[in-house]
Amino acid sequence: MDNDSALTKKRILVVDDDPAISESIKLALESFGYEVETASDGAVGLCKAERRRPDLMILDMMMPKRSGFLVLETLRQNDYFPTRIIMITANEGNRHKEYAESLGVDAYLRKPFEMSELLATMERVFNEK
């Protein structure tokens, strides 16, 4: 890889307590050339986000130690950086979606989702500036 492509490689942080989900997303996104790191709970995810400054977070809503909502609230309240955030959840309720949107989530996907849907959502989010 040359220096120009290394500079433009997007950094993705996947925060989900289900290792099967986070690893499958990681493998798929790496195959498309993304640099991907994972975290298994919200507290670790927040630390990694603060340290690594990813271009995009894929953030599960319900996790141990710190929920996706609390991670999102902390990032938005403290204005650490303008990371794009896609929230994923198995929850069917619109109340949670509306709350996530009020906190500034860039997109919201319900599990299970197709990888093509995630990739299309990522492309849309990256193109919205």
Side-chain angles (χ1 to χ4, degrees), residues 5-60:
S5 60
L7 291 174
T8 60
K9 196 174 203 181
K10 298 270 191 214
R11 291 182 322 274
I12 312 297
L13 175 58
V14 179
V15 185
D16 195 310
D17 61 321
D18 183 331
I21 291 173
S22 59
E23 282 304 308
S24 64
I25 292 173
K26 180 181 194 299
L27 291 172
L29 295 183
E30 285 176 341
S31 75
F32 283 93
Y34 292 101
E35 179 184 321
V36 184
E37 188 171 1
T38 62
S40 60
D41 65 60
V44 172
L46 185 59
C47 289
K48 286 185 175 187
E50 292 170 347
R51 187 178 73 245
R52 298 278 305 176
R53 307 276 199 238
D55 298 299
L56 174 81
M57 287 179 72
I58 299 170
L59 182 62
D60 188 20

Side-chain angles (χ1 to χ4, degrees), residues 49 53-57 75-76 80-85 104 106:
R53 307 276 199 238
D55 298 299
L56 174 81
M57 287 179 72
L75 292 172
R76 295 304 191 227
Y80 286 121
F81 51 94
T83 292
R84 302 299 207 164
I85 298 176
D106 295 285

